[in-house]
Amino acid sequence: MLLNHSESKRQHSNRPTTKYTVATGFITLLLIFSCNSLFAQAQKQNEPFLLERVRALNLDSLQKGTTTVHFTPGYRNRAEMLGARTERALQFFKDSLNIDFGKFHLIMPDTSSWKELSVMPYGFAVWGRGGWQHRNLGKSVSGRPASAIVSVDAEGVIFRQLQNLKKCLSNDDHERLNEIGYSLEEASRRYVEIITIHELGHGVVENLDIKVPTVWYSEFLANYFTVIYLYKYEPKEAKIWDLMTAVTLDCYTPEKSSLEVFYLPGKEGPEYHWLQSNLIQRANKVAENHGFDFIREAKTIFSEQDSLSQKVGAIYNNLDRLPKEEVLQRLMEVNEVMIERLDQIAPGFQVWATNIFEQQTNKAH
């Protein structure tokens, strides 16, 4: 059964809590949420430029249906596993939503090769199309093949963050890990592997042409598709996803407001992971009650011509000139309209948003 936050609190009420610190921080907001674009097409041979860089790294490769996996030598078993999962998820989205990604590239570098492919910290998965090569490699070309970059060993910044939960685990948590059959280390690694599906979720949003006025809504939708896939094909991994999410929410208290974490460039801290976990649990609840019906409705409630998108654009165009308080106020006004519309197709968003956005924003003041 999908967990919600109140259930999580009841199950883990005897857990000690820990505040986030900069030392356990993830990465800057600017890096975190720039991961909605990847690849390009080379000027020669009509080939994606990133794949030129991948080939220069002498990575091994294997084929799983439409998915080509490029991986650091010595990790074939992991490449086989993630390649099979990716292909299964792509087929699921094709059958369920009539989405065809075409050829897909899953890239699995080690720490040294990662630096040649992404400006983001090792282990923070990257999805996207379009502008990836401009941000990461300083080259602007026009191809848009579907791809993702994930760590070859499922370690890195997110893995370390989850390992920091060790002192926070309750007896109930240990029992649930034992029931699933994983140690905390293995559960953390499995959680990181699941994020590959989250990155595919961003691709589903693009393919369905769902309009996303705000960044948190984009992340919510990616988590939504992750949840639907896991409970259909990998229920054991869904339990890991739920458990690690619930522990994260119960262990930490954010110090920055949710709106700061998502919108103000240059902010940093693991409040991002706390907020992402809240989005996961909300996605769980909505998916449990509405399934794909929510997605069909979500395609109709926002558009490019929507005043919300225009308002958000105006905020970003004036970030350097607007005081922080005014930026947060304008964003809250956009959120209120968004939440009202979402609540009409999936009741419960209003209550959820009060806890996640309004209280956190007031706390930051």
Side-chain angles (χ1 to χ4, degrees), residues 248-297:
T248 297
L249 288 173
D250 291 343
C251 277
Y252 296 116
T253 300
E255 295 179 341
K256 296 187 182 74
S257 75
S258 298
L259 290 177
E260 282 185 274
V261 173
F262 268 113
Y263 292 104
L264 298 188
K267 299 294 181 182
E268 63 182 48
E271 284 89 348
Y272 164 77
H273 188 48
W274 175 88
L275 186 50
Q276 194 64 275
S277 297
N278 272 288
L279 294 170
I280 290 171
Q281 285 205 338
R282 181 58 187 157
N284 283 2
K285 189 64 177 178
V286 177
E288 184 178 42
N289 293 331
H290 300 277
F292 281 122
D293 289 340
F294 172 82
I295 299 301
R296 298 183 185 96
E297 295 284 346

Side-chain angles (χ1 to χ4, degrees), residues 44-59:
K44 295 181 180 180
Q45 300 179 346
N46 295 319
E47 174 179 274
F49 176 56
L50 179 60
L51 297 187
E52 293 180 349
R53 184 63 65 91
V54 169
R55 289 184 175 87
L57 295 173
N58 295 318
L59 301 180

Side-chain angles (χ1 to χ4, degrees), residues 31-48:
L31 296 179
I32 292 170
F33 291 111
S34 60
C35 49
N36 63 347
S37 57
L38 191 57
F39 291 170
Q41 187 175 7
Q43 295 171 341
K44 295 181 180 180
Q45 300 179 346
N46 295 319
E47 174 179 274

